[in-house]
Amino acid sequence: MKKKKILIVGGVAGGASTAARLRRLDENAEIIMFERGEHISFANCGLPYYIGEVIQQRDALLVQTPEGMSAKFNIDIRVFNEVTKIDREKKVLQVKDLKNNRTYEESYDYVVLSPGASPIMPPIPGIKECKNLFTLRNIPDTDAIKSFVDNKKPKTAAVIGGGFIGVEMAENLVHRGLKVSLVEMADQIMGPIDYEMASILHNHIEDKGVQLILEDGVKSFEKDGKEIILQSGKKINTDLIIFSIGVRPENQLAKDANLELGVGGAIKVNEYLETSDPSIYALGDAIQVKDYINGQDAIIPLAGPANKQGRIVANNLVGKKEKYVGTMGSAVAKVFDMTVASVGNNEKIAKKQNLKYEVIHIHPGSHAGYYPGAFPISMKMLFDPKTDKILGAQAVGYDGVEKRIDVIATAIKAGLKATDLKDLELTYAPPFSSAKDPVNMLGFVAENMKHGLVETFQWHEVKALQDNKAVLVDVREEIERELGFIENTINIPLGQLRNRLSELPKKETIYVYCQVGIRGYLAARILTQAGYKVKNLDGGYKTYGAVFRPNVNDTECIIEIDDDGTARKNCDPEVVKSHVKINACGLQCPGPIMQVFQAMQLMNDGEILEVTATDPGFSKDIQAWCAKTGNSLIQSTFDGKAFKCLIQKGAAGMLAEDKKNALVSSQQQPMVIKEDKENATIVVFSGDLDKAIASFIIASGAAAMGKKVTLFFTFWGLNVLRKDHHPKVEKSAVERMFGWMMPKGPKKLPISKMNMAGMGPKMINYVMQQKNVDSLEVLMANASKVGVKLMACAMSMDIMGIKEEELIDGVDIGGVATYLGEAEDAGLNLFI
């Protein structure tokens, strides 16, 4: 029997797995693998984590070395050898030896194409001139990025693209200490999941300090990549760019060989992974596959399917006819502290393919709630309402996420229906699950919907219902509404519903909601049996609130529901080594500082106070307060929900008895007064052009005399600091009205006398120009150059509806305590 000669083009998941399986099946086959790079098999999914130094050893990424694999499997492995042409008529490959710069031919019986995919690099103006722009697909890319981060020490990074690689790179660059902006042209990151599920991740990565920019793309790169201009006009200054907007199949070899191509230029293969030439197979990221759920042609580049395809190709090469039945798209990713996983079709695909589907959202715990450490899992499932076929599922959470999606992926493969999930006998112990596993719960809900026990409506339908004056009933406890609720809704707690039915009109559909959907279902059953037509909000307020993040008074609080339905607020912060804890969440300046002061009055020297606040000016205020009162700010953090500070009464590191001798008790003298009074502070209350000019002239003069000068802008004075144009920011109706009525920046300011419908400011500016007096804009720029500190009052900003993004660059935001700290050291204090 003639020995087969099989040439494999490309390694990594597909090519390497084909070669290894092939040798196990046929010891006599001649197998040659060509790889244009140095590495034939590496853990490409681990690359971001090596850059982030989560994976410490580079060698850990190398699954197989050429030497090791060659010796183990008796394969001729030729690295730095690039296949440049397939001559199908002669059945030879043309190969270029990149090290020796020579070209040769190699004959074949069969060819396996595993070229993978390459990063999409559109012709954006300035992209070729970028010296700090990288893509990530292989080990050399990884080495280049890590070397840049290690040696150039960038402070900022912009990641373009919010897919798996983009999000993972954003996380790992944050882990390396960089300030990261993530830009995504779509309205969400992580395309395999739907918008409301992605919104949970949006909130999380923003809480981690990433600047998330959605629905915006790159218009151009400027200054050799140091500046990015977005389509919206927004500018991003950055030291490092990771470009990750997607990949396209590497199809040039196939295209030149006139092999048939499919969707998106992918190599078209049949169910046996043969190309249009039966002597040539193809697999991995380069090929077109069948979507396992809907049967349509698709490109689904994932490592797991590529490995399985390699095994199937090897089987077929030795005569074991095996079909590849399609790709489900099972995927999982780590997003900072959270996990996201999905399988099958999402709503976007279902709509595109005109599939009929129902949606289920649930938010069960990762394990029994009474066992410590249970985290909620937000889950979504799509299924066909007629056949009960499971179309897809998604999950986001902190623990147990991928386990549930794997179970559903197995159920899909086994042909189980949505209602069959309730019957799965899954392992249970309190640390790992609940007696009713989250997957079982999806089955219970599907069965209730199938049998007509409940009708649901979705989070995105709420706005239309509000516009149509529909009756929306919140069946949660009143205390829960303090943490956020849907506007224009009636609150009738579930326990009161039976006695208050008369308050609801029978001729209209009643739309009920609770926190996660369970009490809403109970309310729906009560109302339905009382003769009402009712629908329950699928996934409850938790799903709705993920998209429309609530603005609440106390973000540190959680609501716990006892077995009897009683709701209670739990505002206990994390356990830390502190003697006293206060929660100042929701208080505006100077409320948090006043609470700190009052608490300190009752504490002993050396004791530690933990304070949590949501006032954005608090972190600056507390620094100034501690510096002036002789107390020690031990730690200041922001956990995405609130500012948390640890303050030691007295000087840090001193014993209590030493402090009594070294410090005056804060009860008797809370402020330590400095002797020098060489500084200057100016409160700018006015928004008039002439007064603003005077303020900056005085400030610049004082700074030129060596004084440390602070300009504190409050109320109407904040308009001096506003930009002419600013990025779109979210505002309430009242805040928008304030914005329309108030001038935007120096060019729009009126003057205090003889304004004359805007003519006065123009005359002033003309006279100043004639007399060679700098304009207000120039005065402001010059003041900053000589060290004048510009500070905006946080409380006034909140009242006036002015957001930080609307202010010019270089403005600090603080409160009364910060200003008073500066004023105490000032010999000159003015109010303008």
Side-chain angles (χ1 to χ4, degrees):
M1 184 176 178
K2 181 188 174 185
K3 182 166 63 173
K4 293 178 183 176
K5 186 176 182 180
I6 300 164
L7 308 184
I8 300 173
V9 182
V12 198
S17 61
T18 301
R21 172 69 173 175
L22 191 57
R23 176 56 74 218
R24 291 194 295 270
L25 296 176
D26 188 348
E27 183 63 24
N28 297 315
E30 182 181 358
I31 306 170
I32 304 175
M33 182 189 296
F34 301 95
E35 173 57 55
R36 63 186 170 195
E38 179 182 359
H39 307 283
I40 58 161
S41 184
F42 58 89
N44 50 3
C45 294
L47 302 182
Y49 300 99
Y50 173 64
I51 295 169
E53 296 187 336
V54 177
I55 297 173
Q56 294 287 328
Q57 300 299 321
R58 182 178 181 274
D59 288 349
L61 300 173
L62 305 178
V63 180
Q64 289 276 7
T65 64
E67 298 78 15
M69 188 168 183
S70 179
K72 187 176 181 180
F73 293 100
N74 188 26
I75 297 170
D76 183 356
I77 299 176
R78 303 178 188 179
V79 294
F80 297 114
N81 276 248
E82 181 178 9
V83 177
T84 57
K85 184 180 179 181
I86 304 173
D87 189 329
R88 293 167 55 191
E89 191 172 325
K90 294 182 180 179
K91 295 192 78 169
V92 297
L93 297 186
Q94 189 175 93
V95 186
K96 184 175 183 180
D97 185 334
L98 300 177
K99 275 195 170 182
N100 299 315
N101 197 26
R102 69 180 183 92
T103 301
Y104 64 95
E105 290 185 344
E106 195 71 55
S107 64
Y108 67 83
D109 293 316
Y110 294 98
V111 169
V112 179
L113 295 178
S114 179
S118 57
I120 296 172
M121 296 288 285
I124 298 172
I127 194 169
K128 292 183 179 179
E129 289 72 41
C130 292
K131 296 178 171 60
N132 60 343
L133 184 146
F134 301 89
T135 58
L136 181 62
R137 285 293 289 175
N138 52 39
I139 295 289
D141 293 342
T142 306
D143 290 339
I145 297 171
K146 191 167 190 305
S147 175
F148 188 93
V149 175
D150 290 346
N151 299 320
K152 299 292 185 181
K153 308 292 183 186
K155 302 295 184 186
T156 57
V159 177
I160 313 300
F164 283 81
I165 294 296
V167 172
E168 289 169 353
M169 277 304 305
E171 175 185 346
N172 281 279
L173 290 173
V174 169
H175 191 263
R176 290 296 302 272
L178 280 73
K179 180 69 177 176
V180 177
S181 298
L182 178 58
V183 181
E184 169 55 54
M185 187 174 289
D187 62 355
Q188 66 165 89
I189 63 171
M190 306 301 280
I193 64 175
D194 288 313
Y195 180 76
E196 75 275 20
M197 303 297 285
S199 294
I200 303 170
L201 300 176
H202 296 168
N203 296 337
H204 183 58
I205 67 173
E206 287 179 326
D207 291 343
K208 291 295 181 178
V210 174
Q211 180 188 24
L212 181 61
I213 302 171
L214 299 173
E215 298 184 89
D216 210 348
V218 177
K219 182 178 181 181
S220 66
F221 295 100
E222 308 290 342
K223 301 177 183 178
D224 295 334
K226 289 288 186 179
E227 183 177 85
I228 303 173
I229 310 298
L230 300 183
Q231 297 289 347
S232 63
K234 182 181 179 68
K235 294 181 181 179
I236 300 176
N237 294 314
T238 186
D239 301 322
L240 168 65
I241 301 170
I242 303 296
F243 203 80
S244 181
I245 65 171
V247 295
R248 59 166 55 95
E250 283 272 16
N251 64 1
Q252 196 61 50
L253 267 179
K255 189 176 181 180
D256 291 345
N258 291 319
L259 295 175
E260 191 174 350
L261 303 180
V263 294
I267 302 170
K268 193 170 184 178
V269 295
N270 63 16
E271 56 194 356
Y272 299 104
L273 300 175
E274 295 173 339
T275 68
S276 52
D277 184 331
S279 297
I280 302 175
Y281 290 77
L283 72 163
D285 294 357
I287 69 168
Q288 168 185 295
V289 297
K290 291 291 184 185
D291 184 312
Y292 186 83
I293 302 298
N294 59 52
Q296 299 300 309
D297 294 329
I299 302 175
I300 308 176
L302 292 168
N307 276 284
K308 295 174 182 65
Q309 290 159 12
R311 184 182 179 90
I312 291 171
V313 167
N315 289 347
N316 290 332
L317 283 168
V318 299
K320 296 177 178 284
K321 300 298 283 184
E322 183 178 351
K323 296 179 181 180
Y324 182 70
V325 296
T327 303
M328 282 195 291
S330 301
V332 64
K334 179 178 180 293
V335 183
F336 289 94
D337 300 329
M338 301 193 83
T339 303
V340 54
S342 64
V343 63
N345 290 176
N346 56 33
E347 273 200 83
K348 297 185 288 287
I349 295 174
K351 288 176 181 177
K352 186 178 180 180
Q353 298 296 336
N354 293 316
L355 302 178
K356 299 293 184 183
Y357 65 92
E358 290 279 5
V359 177
I360 295 172
H361 292 87
I362 61 173
H363 303 276
S366 57
H367 60 249
Y370 58 82
Y371 187 89
F375 289 97
I377 306 175
S378 294
M379 301 183 70
K380 178 178 183 177
M381 185 175 73
L382 278 66
F383 68 99
D384 187 308
K386 287 188 177 180
T387 66
D388 285 352
K389 176 183 176 181
I390 302 170
L391 302 177
Q394 306 157 39
V396 178
Y398 291 85
D399 182 50
V401 171
E402 70 288 349
K403 168 185 173 181
R404 272 65 189 212
I405 293 300
D406 285 342
V407 171
I408 296 172
T410 305
I412 292 173
K413 188 70 175 177
L416 297 183
K417 298 177 180 179
T419 50
D420 291 331
L421 296 179
K422 73 182 190 306
D423 298 321
L424 292 179
E425 188 175 335
L426 304 173
T427 58
Y428 160 61
F432 307 107
S433 185
S434 299
K436 296 177 182 177
D437 188 86
V439 175
N440 295 138
M441 294 175 70
L442 287 170
F444 294 141
V445 177
E447 184 180 54
N448 286 340
M449 294 173 69
K450 181 181 179 180
H451 292 162
L453 294 178
V454 66
E455 289 187 60
T456 60
F457 66 105
Q458 297 298 319
W459 63 271
H460 54 79
E461 299 176 282
V462 171
K463 178 64 166 59
L465 292 172
Q466 291 173 321
D467 292 343
N468 291 326
K469 310 296 183 184
V471 180
L472 287 143
V473 180
D474 183 347
V475 298
R476 299 175 301 164
E477 299 299 313
E478 184 177 348
I479 194 171
E480 293 177 84
R481 287 172 65 88
E482 294 180 21
L483 306 183
F485 59 90
I486 298 173
E487 297 292 335
N488 302 317
T489 56
I490 304 166
N491 181 214
I492 304 178
L494 178 64
Q496 302 175 23
L497 184 59
R498 290 182 178 87
N499 297 325
R500 296 175 62 180
L501 293 177
S502 60
E503 298 177 28
L504 301 176
K506 272 205 171 182
K507 293 183 179 181
E508 297 184 43
T509 299
I510 309 299
Y511 297 87
V512 299
Y513 78 93
C514 64
Q515 189 64 18
V516 297
I518 296 174
R519 282 173 289 166
Y521 168 67
L522 298 176
R525 295 304 304 145
I526 293 170
L527 290 168
T528 299
Q529 294 176 79
Y532 290 84
K533 181 174 176 54
V534 59
K535 291 187 177 184
N536 180 32
L537 178 59
D538 182 37
Y541 183 77
K542 190 164 186 176
T543 297
Y544 177 88
V547 179
F548 306 102
R549 194 195 293 211
N551 181 19
V552 298
N553 288 334
D554 193 346
T555 56
E556 281 290 282
C557 296
I558 61 172
I559 295 296
E560 297 179 343
I561 306 297
D562 293 335
D563 292 337
D564 62 359
T566 303
R568 53 191 173 84
K569 186 189 291 187
N570 182 353
C571 294
D572 290 334
E574 247 179 79
V575 176
V576 296
K577 294 180 180 179
S578 56
H579 299 84
V580 178
K581 298 178 183 180
I582 59 174
N583 191 326
C585 291
L587 296 180
Q588 292 286 354
C589 173
I593 291 295
M594 291 299 298
Q595 285 211 0
V596 171
F597 173 77
Q598 292 167 4
M600 283 290 189
Q601 296 277 30
L602 304 175
M603 292 171 60
N604 298 317
D605 283 342
E607 290 185 334
I608 294 174
L609 170 70
E610 178 188 300
V611 56
T612 308
T614 51
D615 173 25
F618 176 71
S619 61
K620 285 187 174 293
D621 284 354
I622 198 63
Q623 293 177 40
W625 187 86
C626 286
K628 298 303 176 184
T629 58
N631 296 301
S632 301
L633 180 60
I634 298 172
Q635 187 182 75
S636 179
T637 59
F638 179 63
D639 65 2
K641 294 182 178 179
F643 297 91
K644 185 175 288 185
C645 297
L646 294 180
I647 307 161
Q648 185 175 32
K649 185 169 181 177
M654 297 178 65
L655 296 174
E657 52 265 34
D658 295 330
K659 290 177 192 163
K660 292 177 182 177
N661 298 325
L663 297 171
V664 177
S665 169
S666 63
Q667 295 184 24
Q668 300 172 4
Q669 186 177 332
M671 304 292 283
V672 178
I673 307 298
K674 293 188 176 181
E675 294 301 322
D676 60 293
K677 298 285 184 176
E678 290 302 312
N679 301 334
T681 56
I682 303 173
V683 177
V684 183
F685 178 87
S686 172
D688 294 331
L689 175 64
D690 44 347
K691 295 177 182 178
I693 291 170
S695 301
F696 277 96
I697 291 175
I698 296 170
S700 297
M705 295 173 63
K707 292 181 180 292
K708 179 183 174 184
V709 183
T710 299
L711 283 173
F712 188 80
F713 294 83
T714 184
F715 284 93
W716 311 115
L718 291 170
N719 292 312
V720 179
L721 303 178
R722 295 179 77 193
K723 296 176 181 175
D724 291 341
H725 299 91
H726 57 78
K728 188 177 180 181
V729 292
E730 272 193 28
K731 290 192 174 188
S732 67
V734 174
E735 289 174 336
R736 285 197 297 271
M737 289 177 63
F738 262 113
W740 294 331
M741 293 187 291
M742 295 188 299
K744 286 187 178 180
K747 293 180 181 178
K748 301 292 185 180
L749 297 180
I751 57 175
S752 57
K753 304 291 183 183
M754 300 189 305
N755 190 54
M756 297 182 295
M759 284 299 296
K762 292 180 180 178
M763 292 172 61
I764 287 285
N765 284 318
Y766 175 79
V767 172
M768 290 172 65
Q769 187 178 9
Q770 295 299 309
K771 301 293 184 181
N772 291 319
V773 178
D774 290 332
S775 66
L776 177 55
E777 294 94 321
V778 174
L779 287 171
M780 292 171 71
N782 290 340
S784 293
K785 288 179 183 178
V786 296
V788 174
K789 184 176 181 180
L790 307 182
M791 181 173 292
C793 175
M795 181 210 43
S796 299
M797 287 176 65
D798 188 59
I799 291 174
M800 308 291 280
I802 296 175
K803 309 298 182 184
E804 186 174 356
E805 294 92 334
E806 297 179 74
L807 303 183
I808 61 175
D809 295 335
V811 177
D812 289 335
I813 297 174
V816 173
T818 306
Y819 164 70
L820 292 177
E822 300 288 346
E824 189 165 290
D825 297 333
L828 174 66
N829 292 290
L830 298 177
F831 187 96
I832 297 178

